[in-house]
Amino acid sequence: MALTTEQNITILKLKGLGRRTAFKINQDMPSNIRLEDGEVLDYINKLSIEKKVQRLGQYTAVDYQKAQNEVIELLMKSENAGVKALSFYDNKYPKSLKTIEDPPLIIYYSGNINKLNDTDGIAIIGTREPSEAGFKAGEYFGEKLGKTGYNIVSGLAIGCDASAHKGALKASGFTTAILAHGMQTIYPKENKLLAEEILNNDGILLTEYIWGTGALPNYFVERDRLQAGLSKGTIVIQTDVQGGTMHAVNATIKSNKPLAAVKYVADTELNNPKIKGNEMLINEGKAFPLTSKNLDEFILRITKLPTNKNVISDTNRPIGDLFSEESSNI
């Protein structure tokens, strides 16, 4: 057994109690009981006194009631805005997130959450400052893979993330945006309309942060593991060697999932510092060198079977030629 979703959100509001400790509290529950709200505090304090959960403090009834009241108010605001909550122990919780090293105990979302369990995801990520060729590449691969039925997963940031979402939408495909804050806002504000378009086209906005939580730098790092976790593989559009994209790259590598980095061949792109991370990953053998000509080959690495997604690589011409003579070829 485990605590209810609301109970889990409540204990996460207790001072000094994080998700790893909360997981331990749930794991230590006897299988034959379901705690009522009034029993949760006694159970936590019992675990603390008996030292069954390390670094678990003790809390008063006032502590618990304050946390519970705050959660009730926040969940009410969420529900009024169409945002729902799931715990790790709910049946609808995405199966792919259950297998990552540090899964979120709670997720908050808008959209049809069932699609995450029904659709294979591919993360498309990269710098917030791509070149024109980079933006077009993100849109191209987002459209190409979105058209074939993959869930295009990204982080709604300006630049490569936005291009991937837009490509999927252009193909009337499914796309999921992972946010690094509560869903009371959209960050960056420039992508508010894009977020609305995602929802209007049966996509999903998802976060592990409760309503009212602001965007902090470490939250952007933490959300990268969710992008990799929801996906069968990851495509890097453009990144420098030490860019924030590397957090999702490392999560992909650590989970032994296929990684691709777009390979740029035009002279106008080769001095671009925002592709140095791509070159490093390719040269070190960590990433598949992706172009418009070999997309099928990368998909085969993801499926490990002959693809039935009907992805058609553009064998006659590189990506740049698909857009304009001025575009950089990849």
Side-chain angles (χ1 to χ4, degrees), residues 10 35 54 184 276 295 303:
T10 297
L35 294 180
Q54 292 184 354
Q184 76 286 350
K276 296 306 178 184
L295 181 56
T303 61

Side-chain angles (χ1 to χ4, degrees), residues 28-184:
D28 284 348
M29 282 186 64
S31 60
N32 61 342
I33 67 169
R34 168 68 75 180
L35 294 180
E36 299 297 330
D37 285 340
E39 299 172 316
V40 174
L41 178 62
D42 292 338
Y43 174 68
I44 291 174
N45 285 336
K46 183 174 184 291
L47 291 177
S48 175
I49 292 171
E50 296 177 354
K51 300 187 183 304
K52 290 185 177 180
V53 178
Q54 292 184 354
R55 295 183 295 277
L56 177 61
Q58 295 185 42
Y59 301 94
T60 68
V62 173
D63 294 330
Y64 190 84
Q65 190 63 57
K66 180 181 178 181
Q68 188 175 50
N69 290 342
E70 183 179 357
V71 167
I72 290 172
E73 181 180 354
L74 292 173
L75 290 182
M76 186 178 299
K77 290 180 179 179
S78 296
E79 288 284 347
N80 290 339
V83 177
K84 299 179 180 180
L86 284 177
S87 87
F88 182 89
Y89 304 99
D90 288 312
N91 291 332
K92 290 184 178 182
Y93 186 96
K95 295 182 178 66
S96 56
L97 289 183
K98 287 194 173 186
T99 63
I100 67 176
E101 182 176 346
D102 182 20
L105 177 61
I106 305 291
I107 58 171
Y108 305 89
Y109 69 94
S110 288
N112 183 1
I113 198 70
N114 294 324
K115 295 183 73 172
L116 292 184
N117 283 326
D118 298 336
T119 312
D120 289 342
I122 295 181
I124 300 181
I125 58 176
T127 178
R128 291 172 172 80
E129 300 174 332
S131 65
E132 181 182 359
F135 192 90
K136 289 182 177 180
E139 193 171 62
Y140 172 84
F141 288 113
E143 180 180 4
K144 197 78 170 178
L145 292 166
K147 187 179 295 183
T148 60
Y150 285 97
N151 172 23
I152 304 305
V153 180
S154 202
L156 201 67
I158 59 175
C160 293
D161 288 15
S163 72
H165 292 305
K166 289 177 179 179
L169 293 171
K170 187 176 179 181
S172 298
F174 173 39
T175 185
T176 298
I178 312 295
L179 309 182
H181 49 76
M183 291 180 63
Q184 76 286 350

Side-chain angles (χ1 to χ4, degrees), residues 288-303:
F288 176 82
L290 183 65
T291 71
S292 55
K293 296 181 179 181
N294 61 12
L295 181 56
D296 279 322
E297 185 178 346
F298 180 63
I299 295 304
L300 290 178
R301 293 186 176 210
I302 290 176
T303 61

